[in-house]
Amino acid sequence: MTTYIPKQMKTLYVSDMDGTLLSSDSMVSRRSGEIISRLTTQGALITVATARTPATVEPLLRGILTSPPAIVMTGAAMWDRREQAYRNTYFLPEDEYQTISELCLRYGVAPFVYVLSPDMHLDVYHAAPKMNRPEACFVQERSGLHLKTFHLATPAPEIARSRTLLLFAMGSRREVEAVAAHLRENSNCYVSCYPDIFNPETGYLEIFAPGVSKADAVLRLKASTGADRVVAFGDNLNDLPMFGVADLAVAVGNALPDVKDAADVVIDPNYTDSVARFIESDFYN
């Protein structure tokens, strides 16, 4: 058996999860997991950059070795999987939090408010007495997770003013895009707005502290790991900032047209283990 000697150039591989690393069943396939774990034991720097929180990242990556920390909540924090701890957290400024809350109310958008408690537990508040269908499905799929607790029909407490990592809304694409457009004109916060990959009429809105993005987090991770090169994988519009700072931007075959246009390489769709297979080929060659 030949012993593999890694290349001198150190590469950081960063993949989006939904629609990219995850297969059509929203899971990491067994084959992809085996490839990623094996490469990690050989020194590959492989991680994820996702809008998800650690509460859903951990179950999806259970049994899969990755290094370095995961970029979670689009870069509002990093998650140290080994220590099970948040790192590099960025909270919304208190004045922005109040302004954004009032704006969402004006447009009839009820955001989920993600508050990181002092003991590092993530509490998620949703004030509306009823949820729309996408919201109800979202909560149902994420209930009962030990790293996150939902508080439904419950206004965010006073601590949210200084401990909010994310305001997240979903609903009519037209409504959330209207809020996003207003904020981009009148706020310094980072605003991400994009359609659901399965139902384009549903829109998602993410509001973070100024400077937060997958791109910024990738650059910080590149510096902390001493990587010489970044290879990024994605499928949706919120991956474009990450593509902008990558040395090689890779779109999966099921990516949106604008994402494919921005990519250096387009590979097979997400359900073919394409991300893991590309990393394997790149790492060995």
Side-chain angles (χ1 to χ4, degrees):
M1 181 176 178
T2 303
T3 301
Y4 170 67
I5 301 176
K7 295 179 291 190
Q8 292 301 309
M9 181 172 286
K10 196 174 184 180
T11 299
L12 172 64
Y13 299 97
V14 185
S15 178
D16 171 58
M17 295 191 75
D18 292 270
T20 306
L21 179 62
L22 304 187
S23 193
S24 301
D25 58 358
S26 296
M27 301 290 288
V28 180
S29 75
R30 180 176 178 178
R31 183 184 180 193
S32 288
E34 288 173 348
I35 292 172
I36 291 169
S37 292
R38 171 166 46 81
L39 295 178
T40 297
T41 63
Q42 295 178 5
L45 299 174
I46 305 172
T47 192
V48 296
T50 179
R52 289 176 176 270
T53 70
T56 56
V57 170
E58 275 302 316
L60 289 168
L61 296 182
R62 184 176 291 120
I64 301 172
L65 297 177
T66 62
S67 176
I71 296 168
V72 295
M73 288 178 277
T74 314
M78 291 189 188
W79 175 249
D80 187 326
R81 296 191 63 215
R82 180 179 298 178
E83 299 295 329
Q84 294 285 285
Y86 284 90
R87 309 292 187 204
N88 304 104
T89 52
Y90 291 83
F91 298 109
L92 283 170
E94 291 191 40
D95 57 339
E96 294 276 14
Y97 171 82
Q98 183 62 34
T99 299
I100 294 167
S101 298
E102 292 172 358
L103 178 67
C104 287
L105 183 63
R106 187 191 316 165
Y107 279 91
V109 173
F112 290 91
V113 183
Y114 287 67
V115 181
L116 188 63
S117 68
D119 64 358
M120 295 294 119
H121 183 77
L122 193 63
D123 290 295
V124 185
Y125 298 88
H126 190 260
K130 292 184 179 181
M131 295 184 289
N132 60 38
R133 185 173 180 179
E135 290 170 338
C137 291
F138 175 80
V139 171
Q140 184 178 20
E141 292 171 357
R142 291 160 174 80
S143 294
L145 300 171
H146 77 282
L147 293 175
K148 176 168 64 180
T149 303
F150 282 99
H151 305 270
L152 304 178
T154 305
E158 186 66 24
I159 193 176
R161 291 177 177 272
S162 60
R163 301 283 299 184
T164 293
L165 288 168
L166 162 67
L167 289 171
F168 172 65
M170 63 178 70
S172 161
R173 184 174 175 182
R174 183 174 61 181
E175 290 176 349
V176 297
E177 285 182 345
V179 175
H182 186 102
L183 288 175
R184 286 168 177 153
E185 289 286 333
N186 300 283
S187 172
N188 292 320
C189 289
Y190 177 73
V191 179
S192 177
C193 187
Y194 52 96
D196 184 277
I197 58 176
F198 302 111
N199 179 13
E201 295 305 311
T202 296
Y204 296 106
L205 175 66
E206 300 168 347
I207 307 166
F208 302 97
V212 166
S213 72
K214 285 185 179 181
D216 181 71
V218 166
L219 290 177
R220 285 187 276 115
L221 211 50
K222 180 182 180 182
S224 66
T225 59
D228 306 295
R229 171 176 175 257
V230 172
V231 178
F233 303 84
D235 75 304
N236 211 329
L237 300 181
N238 61 336
D239 297 315
L240 292 178
M242 181 168 66
F243 275 19
V245 300
D247 297 282
L248 185 68
V250 183
V252 286
N254 53 287
L256 295 178
D258 288 349
V259 179
K260 290 181 180 179
D261 290 343
D264 300 303
V265 179
V266 177
I267 57 177
D268 291 337
N270 61 317
Y271 53 81
T272 64
D273 302 298
S274 57
V275 170
R277 290 190 294 108
F278 187 94
I279 295 173
E280 182 178 41
S281 176
D282 186 81
F283 185 69
Y284 286 143
N285 296 295

